[in-house]
Amino acid sequence: MTDLTKLPITVITGFLGSGKTTLISQLMQAPGGRRLAVVVNEFGDVGVDGDILKSCAIPDCPAENIVELANGCICCTVADDFIPTIEALMALEPRPDHILIETSGLALPKPLLRAFDWPDIRARITVDGVIALADAEAVAAGRFAPNVAAVDAQRAADDSIDHETPLSEVFEDQISCADIVVLTKPDLAGREGVARARDIIAAQASRSLPVVEVAEGAIDPRIILGLGAAAENDLDARPSHHDGAPDHDHDDFESIVVDIPELADAADLVAAIEGLARSHNILRVKGHASVAGKPMRLLVQAVGARVRHQYDRPWAPHEARRGRLVVIAEHDDIHPDQIRAALHAVTPAPAG
């Protein structure tokens, strides 16, 4: 790459728990000969995704090439966070060949594309492509892309319902902005579920889009890197529910951080998270915990009532063996005292 060549950037978007971090981890391990850098934008102030990716660092994507931004949506903090981060990555020696940006699961991708018009960087970078990940099982179930006919029926029955849910709008904006849709977890959806998810995506897309099925993030980098889409110059072809708005916010969503003591049993924590998903409509829980008698940290990631957990790394000598969880839900479903009470009710490790 010469200094006159624009540095390609791939934006990887997708709803909460759709598999963005898993996909990027796989790309880091098999980058197709590229030296990668990664920007991770978290929602909430516990850097789970950044920690996961740094644990996967290899010579073609070393830890210093992985930057985490947890001060809010990067498209809302362009001057303070996004531009300085991109400039710092471009100044690395050796310079990255390609930058991946993992957006927050709540992010609207189009405002981020507008950020690439910033004068200080526009001549030096290009958006190679926007990759939207969609959880096949969730999409097939209609949780993130509600059936239009059903919504219309609800409107007819209740005059107070005059718009689609915020979750639906986020999903639709991500699909409409994409160059490729990656349908994840097809094994959980089954053949009929995958077909239904494909139909929903096709109905929401503003143009014909390629859809590829990917399990556990395993994808040939040639499929999603090197697209040459120049998406920053193609905004009119990527419609959004928020077109015409001067800016955007995430007031429909809220997150809290819950500190938890060392636990006696991981299964109790899983049960508590499953219960919260059902009783409080919790969208996402992610973080880590300490389990008595286990030398490694327990990594926890939940999408609704589907909880995944694994021991990811040993506790460092300087770390306190305590847990921290980010809990994300729509604004009206966040009740901090009740959520903390449910998580604190998990059986703690015996004293001493």
Side-chain angles (χ1 to χ4, degrees):
M1 176 182 297
T2 69
D3 289 340
L4 297 178
T5 302
K6 286 189 175 184
L7 181 64
I9 294 179
T10 294
V11 175
I12 299 178
T13 186
F15 206 82
L16 299 163
S18 60
K20 299 186 298 296
T21 304
T22 300
L23 181 76
I24 293 175
S25 298
Q26 292 291 337
L27 289 173
M28 288 169 58
Q29 298 298 316
R34 298 171 177 83
R35 183 176 178 85
L36 300 179
V38 181
V39 179
V40 182
N41 187 207
E42 295 268 35
F43 190 90
D45 63 0
V46 177
V48 177
D49 294 346
D51 282 350
I52 294 171
L53 293 176
K54 287 179 181 179
S55 72
C56 300
I58 61 172
D60 282 337
C61 189
E64 59 267 25
N65 284 28
I66 302 169
V67 180
E68 181 182 16
L69 300 178
N71 295 329
C73 174
I74 50 180
C75 51
C76 301
T77 58
V78 173
D80 293 336
D81 289 325
F82 177 62
I83 301 303
T85 296
I86 295 298
E87 291 182 327
L89 291 175
M90 293 176 70
L92 290 171
E93 291 293 344
R95 182 182 178 186
D97 299 317
H98 204 113
I99 296 176
L100 309 177
I101 297 180
E102 177 187 345
T103 70
S104 157
L106 304 176
L108 303 176
K110 192 167 181 178
L112 175 57
L113 295 188
R114 293 194 184 101
F116 289 95
D117 199 34
W118 197 264
D120 290 347
I121 61 171
R122 178 174 173 81
R124 295 184 288 157
I125 62 175
T126 183
V127 183
D128 181 68
V130 178
I131 312 303
L133 273 65
D135 181 314
E137 182 186 37
V139 174
R143 292 198 294 269
F144 306 136
N147 182 284
V148 175
V151 173
D152 288 341
Q154 286 180 312
R155 287 178 179 147
D158 186 346
D159 292 338
S160 69
I161 300 176
D162 58 2
H163 57 80
E164 294 183 339
T165 67
L167 300 185
S168 170
E169 291 187 3
V170 172
F171 175 78
E172 291 169 16
D173 276 19
Q174 290 171 349
I175 296 300
S176 294
C177 201
D179 294 289
I180 292 179
V181 177
V182 173
L183 202 56
T184 62
K185 307 170 190 174
D187 53 321
L188 298 179
R191 186 167 60 184
E192 291 184 1
V194 167
R196 189 159 54 249
R198 283 177 172 272
D199 288 343
I200 291 172
I201 289 167
Q204 301 297 346
S206 58
R207 60 197 189 282
S208 178
L209 290 176
V211 178
V212 296
E213 298 171 32
V214 171
E216 298 298 331
I219 191 169
D220 187 325
R222 294 174 298 177
I223 295 174
I224 59 174
L225 302 183
L227 300 182
E232 71 277 13
N233 298 325
D234 189 32
L235 294 181
D236 289 343
R238 302 165 192 264
S240 164
H241 285 279
H242 302 269
D243 282 340
D247 53 22
H248 75 283
D249 57 45
H250 302 292
D251 289 345
D252 292 317
F253 306 97
E254 193 169 336
S255 69
I256 64 169
V257 177
V258 182
D259 293 311
I260 55 176
E262 188 169 52
L263 308 175
D265 190 341
D268 291 344
L269 178 61
V270 171
I273 293 172
E274 291 172 343
L276 277 174
R278 289 188 289 266
S279 63
H280 286 71
N281 298 319
I282 300 302
L283 300 173
R284 188 83 157 92
V285 178
K286 57 182 180 178
H288 58 267
S290 175
V291 180
K294 303 293 185 181
M296 299 184 73
R297 189 179 73 164
L298 182 71
L299 183 70
V300 179
Q301 301 212 58
V303 182
R306 193 168 71 216
V307 185
R308 299 180 68 176
H309 60 289
Q310 65 187 68
Y311 293 98
D312 66 334
R313 64 166 176 81
W315 287 96
H318 65 278
E319 289 183 293
R321 290 187 55 119
R322 295 179 60 84
R324 298 197 85 194
L325 299 173
V326 178
V327 181
I328 305 172
E330 291 192 60
H331 179 78
D332 292 342
D333 292 324
I334 284 283
H335 303 285
D337 291 344
Q338 297 175 29
I339 293 169
R340 288 193 170 94
L343 293 174
H344 289 160
V346 177
T347 304

